[in-house]
Amino acid sequence: AVRVFNISAPDDIMIKTLHSKHLAARSLHVSDEVIKFLITRIPRSFESIFQSVEFIDKLSLEQKRNISVHFLSSLELPN
């Protein structure tokens, strides 16, 4: 017998928690405004959360910029 589990798309609280966790794992500390900005602009999937954190980390290092709403608004976040 095989058990089947359905994992639904994350809600706002889960998205906020996962973004915070994955950013902190990369030693990136951002404001709540940045998290709120991200919540409204990325697709509601776990993969999108992981990809967006990786993308933001990479670009902030390349451009030597702090992660802020202003910085994120200048980017085209991955879908």
Side-chain angles (χ1 to χ4, degrees), residues 11-45:
D11 61 7
D12 286 352
I13 295 170
M14 178 66 78
I15 291 172
K16 180 180 179 180
T17 302
L18 288 172
H19 265 110
S20 297
K21 177 187 176 292
H22 289 291
L23 288 163
R26 293 174 177 260
S27 298
L28 302 171
H29 304 285
V30 299
S31 67
D32 286 338
E33 289 79 29
V34 167
I35 299 294
K36 289 176 188 175
F37 183 87
L38 289 170
I39 288 172
T40 61
R41 285 168 177 79
I42 64 162
R44 295 187 167 287
S45 72

Side-chain angles (χ1 to χ4, degrees), residues 55 59 72-79:
F55 178 75
L59 286 180
L72 294 178
S73 64
S74 70
L75 303 177
E76 189 170 322
L77 295 171
N79 290 335

Side-chain angles (χ1 to χ4, degrees), residues 65-78:
R65 293 185 60 189
N66 292 327
I67 300 170
S68 65
V69 171
H70 180 70
F71 171 66
L72 294 178
S73 64
S74 70
L75 303 177
E76 189 170 322
L77 295 171

